[in-house]
Amino acid sequence: MPLVVLRSSPLLWVRLAAMVLACVAFSVAVHGGRLSHGTGDWCIFCWSFSFAGTLLVLLVELFGLQARVPVSWKNFPITLACYASLLCLSASIIFPLYFLKGFSNHSEARDYRIVATVFSCLATVAYLTEVSISKARPGEVAGYMATVPGLLKVCETFVACVIFVFVSEPISYHRYDALKWCLAVYCICFILSAAIIVLCVGECTGCLPFPFARFLSAYALLAVLMYLSAAIVWPVFQFDSKYSSSTRRPPSCGTSPGLCDWDKLVAVAVLTVLNFLLYVADLVYSARLVFITV
């Protein structure tokens, strides 16, 4: 019976396509990409994690084991698909930056890298399609992670993880206490958003000693205020000539592969504003969402 249901579901074909595309991406990159930089390991992880997660979801649904897994099946697959789409998107951007930028000479390894990038982009589209199919429609009874605020939580945690990578290599928050406050903002909001995701996927929201919906709205408001401060403080203390000497992009950044240190500072500023906007949208949706527990 589960197999018959799966055959009639367009979600199955989207998941199969995403899984195959991610598999081809990391297989081609590993086979002939000659990945010597540590960034290549991250891209391989993105593709292999997405492939393994989708394979797990397909096997559970194929054998009808949804009721036996210790997670909410209304929340887990779409959460995994959303993370997979973001991981593949990041790999689709990072991989060509580090392994195609600056390599103009034709070679077999370059061809493999181009193919891996193309399949990574296709996998991203497939996972985004899965998220679009799986997300809750207006008036539909669904898990929290299938709603817009739930998907925003995934995006918020992912953006925070990227920020952590950029601020830690090299360390760029140690010079002023104001920059350490920005790091505290990233950490606190990431921990709380991740905790909300874990509570929803683990079906533990009913164990809280306070209404979960009110907590979501209060937290979203707090995160908006905290990220607003970080969005102002970070660029001031990193690019204002009064506090920093790196007010202009060094010429060497245009020729080196990947992102130079100055580019990473700019990326953190942009991602901070992006997360601020995500939390604003989260606050708007959380304030009017009628949450139905699963």
Side-chain angles (χ1 to χ4, degrees), residues 76-158:
F76 179 76
I78 190 170
T79 303
L80 185 63
C82 192
Y83 273 119
S85 64
L86 293 171
L87 286 169
C88 289
L89 176 61
S90 68
S92 301
I93 297 172
I94 293 173
F95 191 78
L97 275 177
Y98 280 89
F99 297 102
L100 289 177
K101 179 184 175 183
F103 295 94
S104 57
N105 296 330
H106 178 79
S107 64
E108 184 180 2
R110 183 172 178 269
D111 293 339
Y112 276 101
R113 292 172 181 178
I114 293 175
V115 172
T117 302
V118 171
F119 276 91
S120 179
C121 294
L122 294 175
T124 302
V125 174
Y127 279 113
L128 289 174
T129 304
E130 179 183 349
V131 172
S132 178
I133 294 175
S134 303
K135 73 175 184 178
R137 302 298 187 267
E140 180 182 355
V141 177
Y144 176 76
M145 296 308 300
T147 64
V148 173
L151 296 175
L152 287 173
K153 293 290 188 304
V154 174
C155 296
E156 292 157 5
T157 56
F158 186 83

